[in-house]
Amino acid sequence: MRKLYSHFLRLPIKWKLAIWSTFLLTLLFFLYNSLQYIVINRWIYGQAESQIEQTINDIKDYYSDKGNRLNESDIRHSHGFLKDINEKGQIIWIVDEHSNPIVRVSNQMPLNVVKPEYSPIHKIKNVINDDDTHLLIVRAPLKSAYFTGTIEIVRNQAPTDELVDNILLILFAASLSAIILNGLGGYILSRQLLMPIQSITETMQRIHEEDLSKRFVFYDNGDELSRLGHIFNQMMNRLEASFHQQKQFVEDASHELRTPVAIIEGHLSLLARWGKKDPRVLEESLEASLEEIRRLASLVEELLHLNRTEDLSFKSEQTQNPAAVISGVCHDFHSLHPDFVFEQHLASLEDISLPVSAEHLKQILIILLDNAVKYSKDDKRVVVTGKVTDEGAHLLIQDFGLGIPAEDLPRIFDRFYRVNKDRSRERGGNGLGLSIAKRLIERAHGTIEITSEENEGTTITLTFPIEKPNAAAPEQPDNLLHP
Ligand code: ADP
């Protein structure tokens, strides 16, 4: 039994479902049909008995005219009446107290099936004869001052038995076909239901063996399994993206780290050969190496930062009154770069909250304001404007500096991408700032757009989704930080 159960546990789910449902249905049918059979059986046989009892009562009623004076002759004369009321497959006997039949009538029943018998009490008996005939015998006493005997009715139960057998057969056949149909239906249904799971398993197998780009193909009818399919595909998209990001990151990082390391190595070997004796070479090489090491340090710092922004867990945080945070960062920048003017129009961002943490908002601003300062020209103005429209809350950072050539704009958010590497290098950039900012904004479900014209300036527009857009921003500057 245990072995059988452990075999059952190892079967595919579709088989388990089909077997379980068939088993339960069989049990249900068995109980229900047994009950039904018992009830029908009792009713049919009870019906036969009460018919006989009714006949006995009719006979007694017939004799009741004679009252206590009923005698053998009266009984003999009742032959016609008894014949009339007798039913098919039935014998009626009236016997005296010595079991001698006084009168007997039979309707399509041989009289020798049973021997008549006197009985002083009311008796009901079921008898199976030697030739397998099922007989129902009812004996009821009949008594007067001149006669003592019994009314005996013998009924052939074969038609009743046949009816009951037929009912049993019908019940059994109907149950069996229902069970077979249910088993088949259960198997087909569970196979149908489990097909998507089978397909997911195959897809996972292929992903495991071949490549990460394989996806689960399913019929999207919105049920639980197609939702599972959606989630599975989404999860795979994220995993694949994250995998490629990591790969790209390692490739980019090693590529970018190679240059400063090669420069430092060059200078150090120069020093090893001649520099120790030549104070000018020593001074220059040390200075250059130190510069590269500083760059390396900042690069490593930014790389770590970038990696942190790729953390897949998403914490939804809010910044209440973002105008205050933005204004604070502008103030800090003004302290660092007193020759710059930071013009602010932030009134419309005062009463709203942005779906980004204050810390991340500051980081984004630091990157953008730092670029605005780094790539400035003579006009040292930076305009920061907040606006709320139907699309969400916007923050515009406009400078009037070097600008970005149109051909570089599509790649500006790529990691390590720098417009004119020398210009960026001179100004201390690693080409990571904008990609960090973009990632932080996307985590908040926002967008970043850039418009720029070379030697005219650049405008960066950040858009954050917000729940209730407020009124449009006023035109007048709210705050002006200038030298
Ligand atoms: P970096 O650290 O080098 O500044 P970013 O990702 O922040 O890296 O910027 C990428 C490139 O885009 C920079 O090399 C720079 O040439 C250009 N850039 C970004 N912001 C500006 C700006 N406000 N004005 C002009 N050029 C910009």
Side-chain angles (χ1 to χ4, degrees):
M1 190 69 192
R2 249 185 152 182
K3 220 172 165 194
L4 199 74
Y5 184 63
S6 75
H7 273 309
F8 173 75
L9 287 182
R10 261 182 265 133
L11 284 175
I13 296 179
K14 60 183 177 203
W15 277 112
K16 272 189 218 155
L17 280 175
I19 292 174
W20 259 115
S21 68
T22 311
F23 172 72
L24 287 178
L25 198 81
T26 312
L27 197 73
L28 190 82
F29 267 120
F30 177 75
L31 291 175
Y32 175 73
N33 286 338
S34 305
L35 196 75
Q36 207 174 10
Y37 178 71
I38 292 168
V39 171
I40 291 173
N41 204 6
R42 282 213 180 152
W43 185 81
I44 290 176
Y45 285 110
Q47 222 24 43
E49 274 177 29
S50 50
Q51 261 178 22
I52 295 178
E53 295 292 352
Q54 186 56 47
T55 312
I56 289 174
N57 285 341
D58 289 348
I59 297 170
K60 281 184 175 168
D61 274 355
Y62 180 78
Y63 294 141
S64 64
D65 283 356
K66 308 281 172 209
N68 213 16
R69 283 175 291 109
L70 178 77
N71 57 29
E72 259 188 50
S73 154
D74 296 329
I75 290 168
R76 264 194 206 98
H77 281 106
S78 66
H79 184 271
F81 165 74
L82 294 178
K83 203 167 174 165
D84 285 349
I85 63 163
N86 196 16
E87 303 229 343
K88 204 172 153 195
Q90 195 168 270
I91 305 170
I92 305 176
W93 266 310
I94 314 281
V95 294
D96 65 13
E97 57 193 318
H98 307 294
S99 300
N100 294 321
I102 310 297
V103 66
R104 56 185 179 191
V105 292
S106 159
N107 188 348
Q108 296 184 16
M109 247 314 246
L111 285 166
N112 60 351
V113 285
V114 73
K115 258 187 155 179
E117 202 182 294
Y118 166 72
S119 167
I121 50 161
H122 195 106
K123 256 199 224 164
I124 299 173
K125 228 164 99 179
N126 272 292
V127 175
I128 309 284
N129 251 1
D130 295 342
D131 59 351
D132 267 356
T133 345
H134 178 195
L135 301 170
L136 175 65
I137 305 170
V138 182
R139 294 186 177 111
L142 183 68
K143 205 167 163 46
S144 73
Y146 306 102
F147 181 76
T148 303
T150 300
I151 306 170
E152 179 170 334
I153 298 186
V154 180
R155 184 185 161 111
N156 184 4
Q157 287 287 63
T160 318
D161 288 347
E162 205 177 316
L163 178 68
V164 171
D165 285 352
N166 281 343
I167 289 173
L168 185 68
L169 196 76
I170 289 168
L171 286 178
F172 180 74
S175 304
L176 193 72
S177 15
I179 288 164
I180 292 172
L181 268 179
N182 172 73
L184 259 171
Y187 175 77
I188 293 170
L189 191 75
S190 49
R191 212 180 68 145
Q192 203 72 14
L193 282 176
L194 293 170
M195 221 128 78
I197 293 186
Q198 178 79 17
S199 168
I200 290 185
T201 315
E202 280 163 14
T203 313
M204 283 169 119
Q205 184 73 25
R206 264 184 282 136
I207 289 170
H208 172 65
E209 283 165 5
E210 296 165 34
D211 70 318
L212 276 176
S213 65
K214 292 272 179 287
R215 290 294 174 273
F216 170 46
V217 185
F218 59 94
Y219 175 60
D220 190 5
N221 56 2
D223 67 5
E224 290 86 341
L225 287 172
S226 61
R227 284 216 296 281
L228 175 75
H230 265 302
I231 291 172
F232 174 76
N233 283 353
Q234 276 169 5
M235 187 191 78
M236 281 316 299
N237 288 345
R238 283 188 79 171
L239 269 180
E240 193 186 2
S242 148
F243 179 77
H244 286 307
Q245 268 172 7
Q246 294 294 335
K247 212 168 139 224
Q248 187 73 40
F249 179 78
V250 172
E251 279 169 14
D252 293 350
S254 51
H255 178 261
E256 288 301 312
L257 290 170
R258 212 177 291 139
T259 322
V261 169
I263 296 173
I264 295 169
E265 196 193 3
H267 282 293
L268 288 180
S269 29
L270 196 72
L271 275 182
R273 261 179 276 153
W274 303 294
K276 279 173 281 183
K277 287 163 201 146
D278 185 340
R280 199 178 55 82
V281 175
L282 182 70
E283 174 72 29
E284 260 177 32
S285 295
L286 274 180
E287 191 48 48
S289 302
L290 262 174
E291 180 59 34
E292 286 307 315
I293 284 173
R294 267 186 228 114
R295 235 175 66 70
L296 257 180
S298 93
L299 185 64
V300 168
E301 184 63 29
E302 283 197 28
L303 281 174
L304 285 174
H305 203 96
L306 182 67
N307 215 22
R308 248 176 272 139
T309 63
E310 278 170 5
D311 176 7
L312 284 173
S313 61
F314 175 75
K315 276 186 263 143
S316 65
E317 286 182 64
Q318 299 273 329
T319 301
Q320 308 288 344
N321 189 6
V325 176
I326 301 166
S327 187
V329 179
C330 288
H331 190 270
D332 293 346
F333 260 81
H334 186 245
S335 313
L336 276 172
H337 307 281
D339 49 336
F340 275 79
V341 177
F342 292 90
E343 197 179 305
Q344 298 165 61
H345 307 265
L346 298 168
S348 50
L349 299 184
E350 271 166 13
D351 306 325
I352 60 162
S353 71
L354 292 183
V356 57
S357 70
E359 190 201 332
H360 284 174
L361 183 61
K362 274 186 198 165
Q363 277 174 18
I364 297 166
L365 278 166
I366 290 170
I367 291 167
L368 301 180
L369 292 178
D370 188 48
N371 280 350
V373 169
K374 258 192 319 203
Y375 306 111
S376 64
K377 286 201 308 179
D378 304 336
D379 189 348
K380 295 190 182 308
R381 263 187 312 142
V382 180
V383 184
V384 182
T385 312
K387 267 201 265 180
V388 175
T389 66
D390 285 348
E391 280 107 57
H394 310 278
L395 185 65
L396 288 83
I397 292 138
Q398 186 184 13
D399 68 57
F400 305 90
L402 293 170
I404 302 164
E407 66 268 23
D408 290 304
L409 276 178
R411 300 200 54 204
I412 209 75
F413 293 107
D414 290 359
R415 265 186 215 149
F416 300 108
Y417 189 79
R418 283 167 292 195
V419 177
N420 183 353
K421 298 221 170 191
D422 294 338
R423 140 175 144 185
S424 192
R425 188 176 264 271
E426 267 167 33
R427 297 177 190 234
N430 292 316
L432 286 172
L434 285 180
S435 72
I436 294 174
K438 188 167 190 255
R439 244 163 261 269
L440 289 172
I441 289 155
E442 281 172 354
R443 273 172 64 120
H445 302 292
T447 56
I448 179 165
E449 277 164 40
I450 189 158
T451 51
S452 186
E453 210 167 307
E454 235 185 325
N455 295 319
E456 291 293 324
T458 306
T459 303
I460 309 248
T461 308
L462 310 181
T463 304
F464 292 96
I466 53 163
E467 269 164 26
K468 271 188 215 146
N470 286 354
E475 286 304 312
Q476 287 305 309
D478 318 310
N479 199 351
L480 205 61
L481 290 174
H482 50 80

